[in-house]
Amino acid sequence: MSDTAEAPSGGTSYDQLAGATAAGPPAGAGDADEYPEASKGVAGRRGPIDLVDRTLLVTGVTGQVAHPLAVALARNNTVYGAARFKDATLREELTAAGVRATPADLVTGELSQLPERVEFVLHFGVVKSNRWTVDLDGNVGGTLALAERYAGIARAFLHCSSGAVYAPDHDGVLAEDHALGDSHAVWPFLHTYSVCKIAAESAARYAARRFALPTTIARLNVPYGPTAGGLPDYHLQMMAAGMAVPVYGESEADATPTRYQLLHDDDIAAMIPGLLAVADVPATVLNWAGPETPSVQEWCAELTALTGIPATFEYTKATLGSVVMDLATLHERVGRAEVPWREGVRAMVTARHPQLLRVAADARTPA
């Protein structure tokens, strides 16, 4: 479920690290009036679902986001973690944390080992092989197979989507009705990602209606945390290796800050009950991110302050621009993330790279 493509040689530093017209509307344009927009759920906020002594399935459990989430949920619930489990060590870690490792393959639709009954499905599985057929089968077919498997059984289905579904808009604020587009095609190692995420959302919306399965589609911005890192962690690794961090723009003089909204592992776990509570038919669609909008340049400066490692930047149009989401619906319906980004970044570095912290470096320096 968490296949990743090997990055081609060359390109940006990311590649290296990863390895209505005047003539009137077109025919059929008026059909839009016949179909409602995606649901934002019942007006107002429902109380969050109490996730204690529940039975949940979390897919993609070996991945960056779902791994710490499943571990957190397993403290008070029965959690089945689905993945292909190519890494035996990860499987052992999850099992030790109380997650019931359950093999599944979204690409082939082999779900026979999944539990017969669960109350909630948290679908974080994603296939990123960079092969169109494989990725469409895994992300679109896999979503449909999973929804069909638990139709009439699960109380709610959470589909984790991504800000990657939005058309590039470096200076804009992206509400849920913003135009969709192939933003991630700019990165060769994620050539299929945006299109597959858009298609998977469509599959989740269809499944909600077809199976009367209450569904939330949450478009996640930039997750990060102490377990698996995230984009700021990649940037720290680049800085430590003497590599330039790509930022959007023709040149330093012409570039405006490249801003995202970080969402810490702790906030991801804390917001799951609220996201499940707003699941609906048709599916509820929400942006999912933290309220602060730090730039790549700002968090690299913070990483320098923490470690003493300088950051250099590569200004290029061959990378993602800003992704800043409108969070009004999230805040009204679910709530707000609480971990300040600077605090979260410090905790991430402390957990993942303690040897790089200034305190550690100073302690190793002879007087």
Side-chain angles (χ1 to χ4, degrees):
M1 290 185 187
S2 55
D3 287 348
T4 55
E6 292 186 5
S9 59
T12 68
S13 298
Y14 286 125
D15 302 317
Q16 299 169 39
L17 183 69
T21 67
D31 294 347
D33 295 335
E34 299 180 21
Y35 304 104
E37 292 291 338
S39 171
K40 292 185 179 179
V42 179
R45 190 195 301 186
R46 303 170 186 164
I49 290 172
D50 181 19
L51 289 185
V52 176
D53 296 329
R54 305 290 192 177
T55 303
L56 303 96
L57 172 68
V58 182
T59 68
V61 77
T62 55
Q64 174 196 336
V65 181
H67 184 174
L69 173 60
V71 170
L73 292 172
R75 296 182 189 124
N76 297 301
N77 301 276
T78 299
V79 175
Y80 293 90
R84 288 177 302 145
F85 294 108
K86 294 189 297 181
D87 186 332
T89 301
L90 273 178
R91 180 171 186 159
E92 291 169 2
E93 289 178 4
L94 287 161
T95 301
V99 177
R100 302 186 182 192
T102 309
D105 191 325
L106 294 178
V107 176
T108 65
E110 174 48 60
L111 308 180
S112 63
Q113 296 188 62
L114 295 184
E116 183 176 346
R117 304 192 68 84
V118 298
E119 294 177 83
F120 302 102
V121 177
L122 310 183
H123 184 28
F124 286 80
V126 59
V127 182
K128 297 184 289 186
S129 72
N130 227 21
R131 292 174 287 167
W132 283 106
T133 301
V134 171
D135 292 356
L136 286 168
D137 283 350
N139 293 298
V140 181
T143 297
L144 289 169
L146 193 65
E148 183 177 28
R149 173 69 182 78
Y150 289 105
I153 298 173
R155 290 178 52 188
F157 187 102
L158 171 61
H159 177 78
C160 184
S161 187
S162 168
V165 302
Y166 289 118
D169 191 346
H170 178 66
D171 296 312
V173 177
L174 312 177
E176 287 85 354
D177 59 357
H178 190 278
L180 306 184
D182 192 5
S183 61
H184 278 52
V186 71
W187 284 345
F189 57 94
L190 286 176
H191 194 65
T192 66
Y193 187 68
S194 289
V195 171
C196 286
K197 278 295 188 182
I198 293 168
E201 280 197 12
S202 184
R205 289 197 303 273
Y206 169 79
R209 298 191 305 270
R210 173 66 179 82
F211 303 121
L213 178 60
T215 297
T216 298
I217 297 171
R219 293 172 175 166
L220 182 60
N221 201 321
V222 176
Y224 78 113
T227 300
L231 192 57
D233 187 74
Y234 297 153
H235 290 163
L236 178 57
Q237 293 178 56
M238 289 179 178
M239 292 162 56
M243 299 166 64
V245 175
V247 289
Y248 185 82
E250 295 284 1
S251 66
E252 183 175 4
D254 296 333
T256 55
T258 300
R259 297 190 179 278
Y260 302 101
Q261 291 150 301
L262 299 173
L263 190 64
H264 192 272
D265 290 346
D266 291 350
D267 283 318
I268 289 173
M271 298 177 87
I272 294 297
L275 291 170
L276 290 172
V278 299
D280 211 341
V281 179
T284 299
V285 180
L286 296 170
N287 287 332
W288 191 19
E292 300 175 289
T293 59
S295 68
V296 172
Q297 294 91 326
E298 286 175 314
W299 74 52
C300 285
E302 183 68 13
L303 292 170
T304 296
L306 291 170
T307 66
I309 302 171
T312 59
F313 300 105
E314 173 192 2
Y315 293 88
T316 175
K317 289 294 185 74
T319 194
L320 292 180
S322 296
V323 180
V324 176
M325 297 174 167
D326 183 334
L327 301 180
T329 302
L330 178 75
H331 292 166
E332 176 188 354
R333 303 296 318 288
V334 176
R336 300 172 67 92
E338 296 183 355
V339 178
W341 75 265
R342 292 182 191 277
E343 178 182 312
V345 166
R346 173 180 283 276
M348 179 195 75
V349 176
T350 300
R352 293 179 56 78
H353 308 283
Q355 76 283 1
L356 297 181
L357 288 169
R358 275 188 184 274
V359 172
D362 293 345
R364 293 194 301 268
T365 302

